[in-house]
Amino acid sequence: MTAAPNSSSFDVIVVGAGIVGLAHAYTAARRGLRVCVIERDAACIGASIRNFGFITVTGQAPGDSWRRAMHSRDVWQEIAPQADIDIVHRHLWLAAYRPEAHAVLEAFMRTPMGEACQLIDAAEAQAKAPALHLAEARSVLFSPHELRVESRTAIGRLATWLARAHGVSFRFGEAVLEVQTPRVRTSRGELHAERVVVCTNSELHGLFADRIAAHDLTLCRLQMLRVQPEAGFRLPGAVMMDLSLVRYEGYSTLPEAAALRERLQQEEATSLAHGIHLIVVQSADGSLVVGDSHHYAAAPEPFALEEVDRLILRHLRSTLDLESAQIVERWNGVYPSSKTTPCVIDAPDDATRVVLVTSGTGASTGFGIAHDVFAGW
């Protein structure tokens, strides 16, 4: 059912047009509900367009996060061609350079999440993925699950498609000042909806600030780079390495990760202190999106550290067989973070939900979270 163009009454209002908000709008619209998305900025400019566009399944925390990532991957795969969103590349290649890292991958392969993955010796992986620098590697984990979209264009195209194909109304450049479902007061007037979903990402002191404060969240700032390699350089998929194994809970919670963490603390203490772990993905123009770091504060400083960029580039050059790597863009991203949960789903009342992804995995798990929210509502 489509809302009238100038309607002020809806079945569902979603606050926030980032990927988590759009995932809820999509899920509600698929259920035949009249949906309106309200976004304070003139376009989505937050964390949803500042990430890798990498829908990560392998390495997500076991249980709900992994299940939600699998569901989200399936949704992305289904809707991307309908929304004119290119799937730029697929798969994950995670290189293990230390014996302790190889032991973590062996342990991961024994879990249910490793069932469809392959643990390949370095020589075989080098033949299949010549862009990787694997002379010192012990093994490579190959995952078939992952896919990648260009997030800075995909979010806008997803919103356009939701409006065109599902009749979702969008109100950009409009701040939501108060939610008392069914009443939603904005900077432009008053709207009504039977249900409201608040997905305001890093805005922790606005709507429902008291409820959000109870979850003891902070903010995480990360540094990202776009690097131009030599002409013709092609990645076989997304790439990670040892440092990711002590960050992603699908690996880091395994008993074998303790030995790797201890060795990395001796050899890469500065990288660990900056929360650095390497992810590399490739865009259609051949450039590489590279990151990232993690710095936590209630009010993160907006200033990027050159030391962090140098460390990220060092890990990049040790993992990929690059002749050149020219930085062409730098930027920061900010998202809410929790030490205890990958996402917050809070219910101020029966008709309202506050949904915040607190693990930096909105693109990877957002559609799965939205499915769970509406399935239990």
Side-chain angles (χ1 to χ4, degrees), residues 26 122 188 203 209 282 343:
Y26 166 78
R188 295 185 183 177
E203 180 49 75
Q282 192 161 31
C343 75

Side-chain angles (χ1 to χ4, degrees), residues 312-329:
I312 292 173
L313 288 173
R314 175 168 66 79
H315 294 305
L316 173 72
R317 292 190 175 100
S318 68
T319 306
L320 299 185
D321 188 16
L322 283 171
E323 294 181 9
S324 62
Q326 179 186 359
I327 298 175
V328 294
E329 283 185 330

Side-chain angles (χ1 to χ4, degrees), residues 20 198-201 204 212 217 336 342-345 354-358:
V20 178
V198 176
C199 306
T200 47
N201 188 40
L204 305 183
I212 292 173
L217 304 183
C343 75
V344 168
I345 303 173
V354 177
V355 183
L356 302 175
V357 174
T358 54

Side-chain angles (χ1 to χ4, degrees), residues 11 29 53 70 104 119 125 158-159 235 244 262 289 296 303 317 347 366:
D11 297 319
M70 287 289 283
V104 174
L119 189 57
L158 179 55
L235 283 184
S244 298
E262 182 177 351
V289 178
Y296 301 90
F303 311 111
R317 292 190 175 100

Side-chain angles (χ1 to χ4, degrees), residues 13-253:
I13 287 177
V14 178
V15 183
I19 184 55
V20 178
L22 296 183
H24 283 80
Y26 166 78
T27 304
R30 280 291 301 267
R31 291 169 172 256
L33 301 174
R34 296 169 302 141
V35 182
C36 177
V37 177
I38 309 174
E39 167 59 48
R40 67 179 180 180
D41 292 312
C44 178
I45 58 172
S48 293
I49 68 161
R50 303 185 193 188
N51 57 34
F52 296 94
F54 179 37
I55 289 76
T56 313
V57 176
T58 306
Q60 297 288 358
D64 284 343
S65 290
W66 187 82
R67 175 182 58 79
R68 288 166 173 166
M70 287 289 283
H71 178 90
S72 296
R73 187 280 314 271
D74 291 345
V75 173
W76 276 110
Q77 195 156 249
E78 176 187 345
I79 69 175
Q82 301 175 48
D84 193 30
I85 297 171
D86 291 334
I87 295 177
V88 185
H89 61 63
R90 300 175 183 270
H91 310 147
L92 167 67
W93 299 75
L94 196 161
Y97 292 92
R98 296 166 177 82
E100 295 87 350
H102 173 67
V104 174
L105 293 183
E106 285 186 314
F108 175 79
M109 289 297 294
R110 294 192 292 268
T111 72
M113 296 182 293
E115 183 176 344
C117 300
Q118 300 175 46
L119 189 57
I120 309 170
D121 68 59
E124 181 183 353
Q126 188 70 84
K128 294 181 177 180
L132 276 62
H133 181 74
L134 299 175
E136 292 82 32
R138 301 298 178 116
S139 61
V140 176
L141 176 71
F142 170 79
S143 168
H145 300 306
E146 281 68 21
L147 57 86
R148 196 238 163 187
V149 299
E150 194 69 61
S151 57
R152 64 177 62 186
T153 56
I155 299 303
R157 291 180 181 181
L158 179 55
T160 298
W161 175 71
L162 285 172
R164 182 184 72 246
H166 291 282
V168 175
S169 295
F170 282 88
R171 298 170 71 109
F172 285 98
E174 184 169 355
V176 174
L177 306 178
E178 183 183 24
V179 174
Q180 290 186 337
T181 312
R183 186 174 66 89
V184 175
R185 185 167 63 88
T186 81
S187 55
R188 295 185 183 177
E190 188 169 296
L191 304 174
H192 294 81
E194 294 180 8
R195 288 182 278 184
V196 176
V197 187
V198 176
C199 306
T200 47
N201 188 40
S202 58
E203 180 49 75
L204 305 183
H205 307 294
L207 299 173
F208 300 104
D210 57 335
R211 309 270 316 181
I212 292 173
H215 295 280
D216 193 26
L217 304 183
T218 189
L219 294 176
C220 177
R221 178 179 63 84
L222 49 87
Q223 288 183 209
M224 303 279 290
L225 304 168
R226 185 176 293 273
V227 172
Q228 189 66 53
E230 62 270 15
F233 181 87
R234 298 305 303 176
L235 283 184
V239 174
M240 296 184 186
M241 44 79 81
D242 293 17
L243 287 165
S244 298
L245 298 176
V246 296
R247 182 150 200 98
Y248 278 75
E249 292 186 18
Y251 316 116
S252 66
T253 55

